[in-house]
Amino acid sequence: MEIAAGLASVAKGFHARGWLLGTSGNLSAVVQREPLRLAMSPSGVDKGELKPEQLLSIDENARIVSAHQGKPSDESLLHIRIVKDRDAGAVLHTHSVWNTILSDLYATEGGVTINGYEMLKGLQGVRTHEHTEFLPIIENSQDMPALAEQVGKTLNEHQAAHGFLLRRHGLYSWGRTLAEAKRHIEILEFLLETMGRTNRRLD
Amino acid sequence: MEIAAGLASVAKGFHARGWLLGTSGNLSAVVQREPLRLAMSPSGVDKGELKPEQLLSIDENARIVSAHQGKPSDESLLHIRIVKDRDAGAVLHTHSVWNTILSDLYATEGGVTINGYEMLKGLQGVRTHEHTEFLPIIENSQDMPALAEQVGKTLNEHQAAHGFLLRRHGLYSWGRTLAEAKRHIEILEFLLETMGRTNRRLD
Amino acid sequence: MEIAAGLASVAKGFHARGWLLGTSGNLSAVVQREPLRLAMSPSGVDKGELKPEQLLSIDENARIVSAHQGKPSDESLLHIRIVKDRDAGAVLHTHSVWNTILSDLYATEGGVTINGYEMLKGLQGVRTHEHTEFLPIIENSQDMPALAEQVGKTLNEHQAAHGFLLRRHGLYSWGRTLAEAKRHIEILEFLLETMGRTNRRLD
Amino acid sequence: MEIAAGLASVAKGFHARGWLLGTSGNLSAVVQREPLRLAMSPSGVDKGELKPEQLLSIDENARIVSAHQGKPSDESLLHIRIVKDRDAGAVLHTHSVWNTILSDLYATEGGVTINGYEMLKGLQGVRTHEHTEFLPIIENSQDMPALAEQVGKTLNEHQAAHGFLLRRHGLYSWGRTLAEAKRHIEILEFLLETMGRTNRRLD
């Protein structure tokens, strides 16, 4: 229940910032590794009103193992892929205005290159602002198994990435803990907004 | 009373986001279909302070049937028209900076065309980001019966639209339930802001 | 005490919106007309933390008549001038980013002309969006008696104005009641932001 | 404990404004002058969740003298330098989008020159908007002793400055009290945003 309360609290905070409007986005955290049990936000729920008891428990095939009537998010397969490939403890997915704009603006370059910002130091394992973070951009799709496979390939190609963007869709990030995942989202959202506003100014 | 509490809660949240400043905007929800009874926000009330007991009950001619002294919003006729033509359970109308700007910027095109965004999937009945939403723009007017007729015509011409804009005035959206109407407003406000900021960047 | 609580509540809300940062801005409301007694925010107080008991009571010469040690805002003379010339019941003064920018951008034109927006209907006495509001801009000064005189002249020249801007300084508006003054500020801030963003986009 | 509660409250408020995202930024206040004891925010803590009991007590060499397991912020040496050179009672450091953008945009000029804004009057000792504030920009570095020395040199060269920027990193300001430091941050953030938005408009 503590994990569920944590996810609900993060959801409420991000909704207030406008990063999870209109029931968009989703959140998960690992409850148990073997066999995998993930606390997952249900589909179509207002994230500003998410209650801990609404979090679903799903297995590694995205099937509900708790007694809920709800439906897990369509994107559960992506969460499971990230948890496995990155050994993540939590995965967060936001839809902000700035991540949506930059996911399209940098699509032809295959990703957003961010470097030279002190804020990068908040990403796990980064020790200096002289770090280059490459945030890959993946074409959006409604075919979730195919998209999960593409996410797996991207994670494999970009081992150092702390997140990725789905084009005209949103941002995914993760962490060993929910607190780390939340920190990563806040940092990446900050950096995308900073680059977006800088880019526009310099045009 | 539950409906009134829901409307008051949505009003407070939207006011905090700056979408209902200066007593602007209005909210309604169907309490009974036959004969029609609509819970309607009163005219000239601070939406950040709206209390459930202030919601008026009106009939299909926008006459107050509750024991209130207040005055229903001038735009009640538009709410009633939408409720009837779309079989809506709730209607919400916001004045945001971005919806105001885009309602003018795209006026000569007759509406805003939005496509290719994942966020569109949150609109009722939409299953893919490869959806094209056309948000019609109607010229603003103080003649409410005439405007209500124009709204009826527009709803008829654009059967698939999930909302419309009044020029230099604001956004209307609706849903089968209050939660769905709230979701639609959040999605459309998000998409209008995203397009507005993108448009400016590309100028 | 009810007036003081109202002022404190408005101060807190406007501070959250970023309109009263850094102890800037000030608020007043008439407690008694004859002789004039004004509840006035003290100088140098964090508006996010303003408590009702901190509101000073001043007379028509801006002298404290309550038992407070504090100092009334330097701009009390402007509040008194507005209360007298407009028969206002409350006067509010905000420092927002957008009002600061527009107060400079339109200074050579002597004011900001706003028309054609539905939001204008929220200004007292305005019945249609086809209204033209002229918001005069006054050069900033630290000579308060001289500035108060200039304010008096401006109010006289622009009898229909619902507010004015001090250049690179901020916005003043007022109302017959505190609720009306708050409504006017929210409307004018909204319109200035809308015009500011439109102007920049069209540049 | 009152100092710690004050710091936690400021942290929470600034985090809500997006000035301390992703555990960035740090806050300190003097508890005792001789020998120096500073209440200092721990490293890597979510500033929206900072609790008073988490504040560390450090000495003039940035060593923890309280019974905490935590680690003081890497930038403690900068706080200590400022406290000594400016006789400050509190030091606050924020990472906002606008201060990050302007710290880079004006780097070649060595700092940001701000003048003619009423808001400047909120800076300690400033009596008129006809004041020129020069906010020096220091190149970012991970070598904290070297950076602390550079900060000392900058403070010495710019005796009148109420803050400084670290390039692509953030803003430092301070005050005789925590309230004054908070006021200075709010004012400088406001002015940087105002200049940033104006600059872009004029491009």
Side-chain angles (χ1 to χ4, degrees), chain A residues 55-120:
Chain A
L55 271 292
L56 311 174
S57 183
I58 62 171
D59 66 15
E60 66 171 359
N61 298 305
R63 278 182 304 227
I64 299 184
V65 294
S66 50
H68 286 90
Q69 302 289 353
K71 181 175 155 316
S73 166
D74 288 347
E75 296 176 37
S76 298
L77 290 177
L78 309 194
H79 286 248
I80 293 164
R81 173 59 47 207
I82 294 166
V83 162
K84 288 186 168 181
D85 288 11
R86 285 296 205 252
D87 204 25
V91 179
L92 302 174
H93 168 44
T94 49
H95 289 211
S96 72
V97 166
W98 288 107
N99 80 37
T100 301
I101 292 173
L102 270 71
S103 74
D104 199 31
L105 184 64
Y106 289 88
T108 55
E109 301 172 37
V112 185
T113 302
I114 314 175
N115 61 55
Y117 291 105
E118 178 71 12
M119 198 58 127
L120 289 163

Side-chain angles (χ1 to χ4, degrees), chain B residues 80-98:
Chain B
I80 293 164
R81 171 60 46 207
I82 295 166
V83 162
K84 288 186 166 180
D85 288 11
R86 284 297 204 251
D87 204 25
V91 179
L92 302 175
H93 168 44
T94 49
H95 289 211
S96 72
V97 166
W98 288 107

Side-chain angles (χ1 to χ4, degrees), chain D residues 66-108:
Chain D
S66 50
H68 286 89
Q69 301 290 353
K71 181 174 156 317
S73 167
D74 288 347
E75 296 176 38
S76 298
L77 290 177
L78 309 194
H79 286 248
I80 293 164
R81 171 61 43 210
I82 294 165
V83 162
K84 288 186 167 180
D85 289 11
R86 284 296 203 253
D87 203 26
V91 179
L92 302 174
H93 168 45
T94 49
H95 288 211
S96 73
V97 166
W98 289 107
N99 78 38
T100 301
I101 292 173
L102 271 70
S103 73
D104 199 31
L105 184 64
Y106 289 89
T108 54

Side-chain angles (χ1 to χ4, degrees), chain B residues 33-147:
Chain B
R33 290 273 172 193
E34 293 288 344
L36 185 66
R37 290 292 177 269
L38 213 54
M40 182 83 209
S41 54
S43 184
V45 166
D46 185 331
K47 299 308 183 299
E49 311 277 343
L50 183 65
K51 277 161 198 54
E53 58 269 26
Q54 290 179 290
L55 271 292
L56 311 174
S57 183
I58 63 172
D59 67 14
E60 65 170 0
N61 298 305
R63 279 182 303 228
I64 300 184
V65 294
S66 50
H68 286 90
Q69 302 288 354
K71 180 173 156 318
S73 166
D74 287 347
E75 296 176 39
S76 299
L77 290 177
L78 308 194
H79 287 247
I80 293 164
R81 171 60 46 207
I82 295 166
V83 162
K84 288 186 166 180
D85 288 11
R86 284 297 204 251
D87 204 25
V91 179
L92 302 175
H93 168 44
T94 49
H95 289 211
S96 72
V97 166
W98 288 107
N99 80 35
T100 302
I101 292 173
L102 270 72
S103 73
D104 198 31
L105 184 64
Y106 290 87
T108 53
E109 301 173 36
V112 185
T113 302
I114 313 176
N115 60 57
Y117 291 105
E118 178 71 13
M119 199 60 128
L120 289 163
K121 266 182 70 189
L123 299 176
Q124 198 273 320
V126 176
R127 298 265 179 269
T128 169
H129 62 285
E130 291 168 338
H131 166 79
T132 297
E133 180 76 18
F134 183 74
L135 218 55
I137 299 173
I138 299 172
E139 281 295 326
N140 197 20
S141 167
Q142 300 307 326
D143 179 343
M144 285 303 139
L147 193 54

Side-chain angles (χ1 to χ4, degrees), chain C residues 113-178:
Chain C
T113 302
I114 313 176
N115 60 55
Y117 291 104
E118 178 71 12
M119 199 60 127
L120 289 163
K121 267 182 69 188
L123 299 175
Q124 199 273 322
V126 176
R127 298 266 179 267
T128 169
H129 61 285
E130 291 169 339
H131 166 79
T132 296
E133 180 75 19
F134 183 75
L135 219 54
I137 299 173
I138 299 173
E139 281 295 325
N140 196 21
S141 166
Q142 300 306 327
D143 179 344
M144 285 304 138
L147 194 54
E149 199 177 315
Q150 187 57 45
V151 164
K153 260 173 76 176
T154 301
L155 292 176
N156 192 45
E157 279 168 34
H158 301 279
Q159 294 283 346
H162 292 84
F164 60 83
L165 292 161
L166 295 178
R167 187 173 183 178
R168 283 177 159 239
H169 176 153
L171 170 69
Y172 268 90
S173 189
W174 52 85
R176 293 165 300 180
T177 61
L178 176 58

